[in-house]
Amino acid sequence: MRRVEMAALALLALAGCGDSEDAPSANVASPASVPTATPSVVASRVPERLTVTTNEPFYSVAIDRDVLTLTGVDMPRRTLRVVNRHVAVEARAWEARDDRGTIGVRVVRAPCEDDMSGAPRDFTATLTIDGRATVRGCGFVGTPAPPPGEASPVAATIPARFIGRWNRDAAACATPAASIEGVRVTPSELWFHESVGVVKRVEPIGPDQIRVTAAYEGEGERWTATQTLRVEGDRLVIVTDGRPFSRIRCPQ
């Protein structure tokens, strides 16, 4: 098992022994379009925030949970409120309305290629505007991947709001040498207990969330890992291979 995965599992196991509020709560809504007697949360591989684009006609839909923002060539910007949704493991669908009508968006976790630039995308999407014909498009999170052969503008520096020392609680912050649960984040490195990752790529995927790819080394092993970092007030949430853990910010 890679070292960063072992560290994440160990931190998760230790987190289970403390207050329940330390674990980040699920952030996926129950499917409103399918009422049940006992609603359940679906862990979807399609995020609640992403962008869908189509070509000929050229549309762009920015999806931010309960709000969809539609723009297009020779058309006014529209902001629509979500009135219905469906959530599945590999897909999400939204229905949103404004005073001009209704749009529907369906996004599936399946590779897609922009049919004009050839740029790869992570999601396949369809868009229906005011009951007209459905248009096929692609979806992406954050900064889209560039067309083949073009350099990516993605930076390799972690933003300032993520920088600092993070640990389980105030006591662990006061005695960092006695804790194996601390995390130190610098602009170019991620430090865990007995392992350090040198940042190679940073992708913004929201105002307080980034995806970091780092080359790790620890205890004679080397590996590369991609992790998601999210700041929630004074708490940092790190997700490795779908497994989250969180730490509070320590005083400088």
Side-chain angles (χ1 to χ4, degrees):
M1 181 179 292
R2 293 173 176 173
R3 184 61 192 171
V4 70
E5 296 174 350
M6 295 174 65
L9 288 172
L11 288 167
L12 285 169
L14 288 166
C17 299
D19 295 336
S20 60
E21 66 180 15
D22 185 58
S25 59
N27 193 30
V28 181
S30 299
S33 59
V34 187
T36 62
T38 56
S40 59
V41 174
V42 177
S44 179
R45 296 182 65 213
V46 177
E48 293 180 297
R49 293 186 176 101
L50 74 160
T51 301
V52 170
T53 57
T54 67
N55 295 321
E56 296 182 347
F58 296 94
Y59 296 117
S60 176
V61 180
I63 303 171
D64 190 352
R65 295 185 180 177
D66 295 327
V67 176
L68 272 61
T69 303
L70 172 68
T71 56
V73 177
D74 297 327
M75 67 175 292
R77 177 190 182 98
R78 294 172 62 180
T79 300
L80 303 94
R81 179 68 58 178
V82 173
V83 296
N84 202 358
R85 74 185 73 220
H86 179 75
V87 183
V89 174
E90 297 291 330
R92 283 185 189 267
W94 295 263
E95 180 184 357
R97 294 176 187 163
D98 63 4
D99 56 2
R100 297 181 56 195
T102 302
I103 70 170
V105 183
R106 176 175 169 78
V107 180
V108 178
R109 180 80 186 194
C112 185
E113 182 179 290
D114 186 288
D115 53 18
M116 293 193 70
S117 68
R121 302 287 186 257
D122 292 329
F123 306 97
T124 297
T126 53
L127 171 64
T128 304
I129 301 178
D130 301 326
R132 299 196 296 268
T134 298
V135 183
R136 180 187 177 279
C138 297
F140 58 88
V141 173
T143 304
E150 291 188 14
S152 173
V154 176
T157 302
I158 295 178
R161 59 186 172 278
F162 298 88
I163 305 306
R165 293 192 306 113
W166 309 81
N167 218 316
R168 180 172 177 79
D169 50 32
C173 285
T175 56
S179 173
I180 65 170
E181 302 176 75
V183 179
R184 183 162 65 92
V185 181
T186 76
S188 59
E189 295 173 325
L190 292 166
W191 290 78
F192 293 87
H193 180 61
E194 297 182 342
S195 65
V196 58
V198 177
V199 174
K200 299 299 182 182
R201 181 182 176 92
V202 177
E203 300 171 77
I205 54 177
D208 297 301
Q209 187 170 353
I210 56 175
R211 183 184 295 114
V212 178
T213 300
Y216 277 89
E217 183 172 354
E219 294 190 332
E221 297 183 31
R222 293 182 179 179
W223 65 95
T224 299
T226 299
Q227 299 161 285
T228 299
L229 278 64
R230 183 174 70 252
V231 172
E232 299 176 350
D234 288 332
R235 185 173 295 275
L236 175 69
V237 180
I238 300 178
V239 181
T240 304
D241 292 337
R243 298 187 292 269
F245 68 91
S246 68
R247 294 291 175 263
I248 66 169
R249 184 185 291 277
C250 296
Q252 296 298 321

